[in-house]
Amino acid sequence: MLKRSHYENPILPYLLISPQMLIVILFFLWPAGAALLQAFQISDPFGQGTAFVWFDNFKNLFETLEYRQSFLKTLVFSVSTALLSLLMGLALAALTNRILKIKTVTRTLLIWPYAVAPAMAGMLWLFLFHPTYGVIGHFLVSNGVDWNPVLNGTHAMVMVIIAASWKQISYNFVFFLGGLQAVPRSILEAAAIDGAGPLRRFFVIVLPLLSPTIFFLIVMNLVYAFFDTFGVIHATTEGGPGGATSTLVYKVYSDGFVGQDLGGSAAQSVILMVITVILTIVQFKVVEKKVHYNG
Amino acid sequence: MSQILIKKLVKKYGQNQVVHGIDLEIKPKEFVVLVGPSGCGKSTTLRMIAGLEEISSGEIQIGNKVVNNLAPKDRNIAMVFQNYALYPHMSVRENLSFALQLQKMDRKDIDRRVRQAAEILGLMDLLERRPGQLSGGQRQRVAMGRAIVRNTPVFLFDEPLSNLDAKLRNQMRTEIKKLHMRMGTTIVYVTHDQVEAMTLADRIVVMKDGYIQQIGSPLEIYRNPANAFVAGFIGSPPTNLIEISGQIIGMRPEHIRLEAEGLSNPVGYQAQVEVLEPLGGETLVHTLVLNQKVIVKCEGLAPVRPSQVIQIYIDKENQRFFDKTSGKALNYN
């Protein structure tokens, strides 16, 4: 049980938490409630009138091929992004961990991309990958690859995945490095004496000890890829070409604010909300089950 | 014939040299204890034997084979760590069989060896547990079991008892001794505890500041310390070292008496009693001789009081003399 604090003035504690509560109500509960309500309504494009339509918006969504495809795209995008950024983060952390003394400056530089705004990161990778003026794009084209993320949907998806995962690598790196440094050196030495080479030590000793970190990061990365990648996608492809990179979260924006289908967009955001809830439950379950290794 | 041969072994960290060219020969089945205060280079030396530290210069042979550039796993050694270093995600059984599985040993043989080791160490009921579910003493046993199943000719122990409480430490000490008698392996054992060194070792290697101070059997080192440091390090309480007329005189507390009777060649000193420490069977009398601390160990209760001025006596042949500047024993041969 948490210890209860005692205040002489019974109103004071409520006053103290009121600014935070205000923010939650204003920026979370109110819009979420509005979205929930809108999801069951249909409104005309000019906002003149609304009608209550029950589950029609949801029914419409799942009947359109575009939305079902968007689900699939989101899955491909999220899993690839999570996988790529996890692998890169782990590889960088494993390499950094081998260096006994790393300069603080160097370590800070490795964390830098996380501080870059999503739109900036997106622009950066667009500039690199653009078939006409991008360095990487130019390199690919001049080497005979028919690279064109502006017109080719698959190429666009690859570019968006790289841009989105690049930002998340630093986040994963920090957690992995922390996890790696918590592995006692003597355990690795014992394994070396027992006859395990460096690779086997990594896969048989280090990885299992990292598993709580890995589970946590998988959930965090999926949440990131699902919900926090709007900026990256908007800046690089705007969901195109032809909706090829239009993930669920991007469709909420494009259907609602560009397509003016407020009800449909709200229904989509409710579905996203449900997914978030599921992911959060999974995450808590994992954290609960997280094995505490000691000694 | 030697099991481990160390020649002019040097360890440097950058410019900082911590082991200064030591030589040591260890015979098969010998129990050798490296003892010294922290920072004396004993653990570094052990880790160089294990292959966990690089050798800066010099040579180490194990079983007549130079191992300087061999990986730890190719040196045919097993090691027990201070913090046990058990694999936390594996059961006791998996911990014990890990090395054997890597050797691609037959499933049946692994089971047999694990069972054997578990029986010796009383771990049979704990085989399916994780290290986190074991007590300190049990973890220590698993760590030793991991060495036993390997059946290597050399065991290395790095302060294996430091993390245990006093009672358990005494118990495990006797178990390690029994284990050595039973297995007949060569053991190199590092500790800072001179009691462990005295009770376990066939030969003790006393180290200080990266140099070997003395090598010898526990009794040799007890009776004939090579220098004032060794005299002051070995024994409990350690040798009293007092400076009289330009010489350091070493006197073991247990050799000093409160009366001259029964001594064949007594030398007397005037001493002022400071504190008494009655331990039941014996009493430690802390005194000052020429303003230098001298501890006297008496049988039973000591018939003296604090601040009393008394005479203490010691047999002349029980005194040791050391050079004041070098600390070397003057009558050492």
Side-chain angles (χ1 to χ4, degrees):
Chain A
M1 274 298 280
L2 286 174
K3 207 181 138 205
R4 284 183 77 106
S5 302
H6 292 278
Y7 293 89
E8 296 204 357
N9 185 338
I11 305 168
L12 183 65
Y14 298 99
L15 273 175
L16 289 175
I17 61 163
S18 61
Q20 181 62 41
M21 289 312 292
L22 207 67
I23 288 171
V24 171
I25 291 167
L26 207 62
F27 292 104
F28 177 70
L29 290 182
W30 187 16
L36 209 56
L37 184 66
Q38 261 181 2
F40 297 100
Q41 291 174 336
I42 187 163
S43 38
D44 67 284
F46 304 102
Q48 303 289 312
T50 54
F52 205 78
V53 291
W54 287 107
F55 288 96
D56 280 3
N57 285 329
F58 294 93
K59 228 186 293 170
N60 277 341
L61 274 180
F62 286 103
E63 275 163 8
T64 39
L65 180 68
E66 211 186 320
Y67 188 70
R68 291 203 302 266
Q69 276 177 343
S70 174
F71 240 104
L72 201 67
K73 276 173 211 150
T74 311
L75 210 65
V76 170
F77 170 76
S78 300
V79 171
S80 314
T81 303
L83 211 64
L84 187 62
S85 60
L86 279 168
L87 284 178
M88 290 300 289
L90 183 59
L92 282 175
L95 290 175
T96 312
N97 197 37
R98 289 178 69 93
I99 310 165
L100 287 175
K101 271 193 210 157
I102 182 164
K103 287 199 176 113
T104 328
V105 182
T106 320
R107 200 167 41 199
T108 312
L109 285 178
L110 281 164
I111 307 169
W112 229 2
Y114 196 59
V116 176
M120 296 297 163
M123 285 317 289
L124 178 78
W125 284 98
L126 180 63
F127 283 154
L128 285 171
F129 273 124
H130 199 279
T132 15
Y133 52 77
V135 178
I136 300 175
H138 183 78
F139 175 81
L140 286 172
V141 170
S142 61
N143 277 285
V145 182
D146 185 20
W147 175 258
N148 195 342
V150 181
L151 295 176
N152 183 316
T154 316
H155 293 177
M157 184 56 110
V158 169
M159 178 172 75
V160 174
I161 287 170
I162 290 175
S165 50
W166 176 72
K167 253 191 72 57
Q168 197 65 4
I169 289 172
S170 342
Y171 182 86
N172 297 338
F173 167 79
V174 170
F175 278 90
F176 277 133
L177 188 61
L180 285 173
Q181 286 180 341
V183 175
R185 213 153 74 101
S186 59
I187 290 184
L188 297 176
E189 290 175 343
I193 288 178
D194 271 351
L199 273 181
R200 195 185 293 265
R201 287 203 292 273
F202 185 78
F203 285 108
V204 180
I205 309 288
V206 176
L207 270 192
L209 290 181
L210 275 184
S211 58
T213 313
I214 296 173
F215 282 133
F216 166 77
L217 285 178
I218 285 176
V219 175
M220 290 311 284
N221 279 274
L222 283 180
V223 170
Y224 162 79
F226 259 85
F227 309 106
D228 282 350
T229 44
F230 171 80
V232 173
I233 293 173
H234 193 55
T236 42
T237 62
E238 294 188 23
T245 55
S246 188
T247 59
L248 289 177
V249 74
Y250 196 81
K251 260 183 82 66
V252 171
Y253 161 80
S254 58
D255 286 2
F257 294 95
V258 183
Q260 296 286 299
D261 174 14
L262 290 182
S265 162
Q268 289 179 33
S269 64
V270 168
I271 292 169
L272 274 179
M273 234 189 292
V274 171
I275 296 175
T276 326
V277 169
I278 292 170
L279 273 175
T280 312
I281 290 172
V282 169
Q283 187 191 344
F284 272 111
K285 286 281 170 213
V286 167
V287 171
E288 259 173 43
K289 250 178 60 184
K290 183 171 135 181
V291 198
H292 292 279
Y293 297 123
N294 37 13
Chain B
M1 171 70 184
S2 60
Q3 182 62 255
I4 300 175
L5 187 62
I6 295 172
K7 289 186 200 160
K8 302 216 170 359
L9 186 67
V10 171
K11 179 66 193 180
K12 278 186 203 164
Y13 292 105
Q15 289 301 306
N16 184 17
Q17 190 165 327
V18 293
V19 175
H20 309 277
I22 60 172
D23 295 289
L24 180 63
E25 189 183 348
I26 297 169
K27 293 185 205 65
K29 305 191 176 192
E30 204 176 9
F31 197 130
V32 170
V33 175
L34 306 184
V35 68
S38 56
C40 72
K42 56 190 190 299
S43 278
T44 312
T45 305
L46 190 80
R47 291 170 60 82
M48 282 193 277
I49 298 173
L52 300 173
E53 288 298 336
E54 246 174 78
I55 296 166
S56 302
S57 81
E59 188 180 291
I60 295 179
Q61 294 181 14
I62 298 176
N64 296 323
K65 197 162 100 188
V66 179
V67 296
N68 281 35
N69 296 317
L70 286 187
K73 64 183 167 88
D74 301 322
R75 296 189 179 200
N76 220 357
I77 46 149
M79 184 158 168
V80 177
F81 291 82
Q82 178 176 357
N83 57 4
Y84 322 129
L86 303 179
Y87 310 125
H89 56 297
M90 299 185 192
S91 68
V92 171
R93 183 190 296 282
E94 288 165 334
N95 263 283
L96 293 178
S97 44
F98 185 63
L100 305 180
Q101 276 169 359
L102 290 181
Q103 289 171 17
K104 307 235 179 327
M105 192 186 269
D106 194 56
R107 188 74 243 174
K108 263 191 231 143
D109 292 337
I110 294 179
D111 273 354
R112 191 172 43 79
R113 285 223 203 161
V114 167
R115 181 174 291 273
Q116 250 173 14
E119 264 165 14
I120 294 175
L121 296 164
L123 292 170
M124 279 312 276
D125 300 334
L126 307 173
L127 282 177
E128 306 312 325
R129 296 227 193 139
R130 291 266 174 96
Q133 300 165 299
L134 302 177
S135 70
Q138 290 167 337
R139 285 181 207 182
Q140 184 58 62
R141 269 178 242 265
V142 178
M144 295 205 304
R146 216 165 45 177
I148 292 172
V149 289
R150 302 260 319 270
N151 207 6
T152 54
V154 177
F155 283 4
L156 307 176
F157 285 85
D158 189 8
E159 306 234 11
L161 305 182
S162 304
N163 285 9
L164 299 176
D165 63 57
K167 196 179 157 198
L168 210 52
R169 201 179 304 157
N170 291 343
Q171 192 188 327
M172 291 305 291
R173 207 169 60 207
T174 28
E175 285 197 28
I176 290 177
K177 189 148 197 171
K178 272 193 229 155
L179 187 72
H180 176 242
M181 292 193 289
R182 180 171 178 163
M183 309 275 300
T185 38
T186 309
I187 292 183
V188 187
Y189 186 108
V190 160
T191 180
H192 62 269
D193 182 353
Q194 56 95 15
V195 177
E196 272 172 40
M198 292 294 285
T199 51
L200 288 173
D202 293 326
R203 272 197 308 157
I204 294 179
V205 179
V206 184
M207 291 182 71
K208 183 197 168 200
D209 298 337
Y211 292 99
I212 290 181
Q213 303 291 312
Q214 188 172 7
I215 305 176
S217 74
L219 273 187
E220 270 166 32
I221 285 185
Y222 176 80
R223 288 189 181 142
N224 274 319
N227 55 42
F229 170 78
V230 176
F233 191 76
I234 299 290
S236 161
T239 307
N240 298 298
L241 296 167
I242 57 172
E243 199 189 314
I244 296 174
S245 53
Q247 265 189 342
I248 295 174
I249 303 178
M251 296 184 281
R252 295 230 169 251
E254 50 273 36
H255 290 151
I256 305 174
R257 302 284 146 78
L258 296 179
E259 64 251 357
E261 261 174 68
L263 298 178
S264 52
N265 206 350
V267 187
Y269 297 93
Q270 196 180 61
Q272 186 177 17
V273 179
E274 274 200 301
V275 185
L276 297 177
E277 286 185 315
L279 298 168
E282 59 204 24
T283 305
L284 299 182
V285 184
H286 292 247
T287 69
L288 287 179
V289 173
L290 297 170
N291 258 326
Q292 298 169 77
K293 278 182 199 287
V294 170
I295 298 174
V296 182
K297 199 183 207 173
C298 305
E299 299 245 330
L301 292 171
V304 293
R305 308 171 265 104
S307 79
Q308 188 185 352
V309 176
I310 55 168
Q311 281 293 120
I312 56 173
Y313 303 93
I314 183 166
D315 250 334
K316 203 171 167 68
E317 49 270 31
N318 278 336
Q319 285 188 322
R320 296 289 176 269
F321 298 92
F322 304 98
D323 186 81
K324 192 185 153 192
T325 41
S326 69
K328 283 211 172 93
L330 295 175
N331 49 354
Y332 183 72
N333 36 33

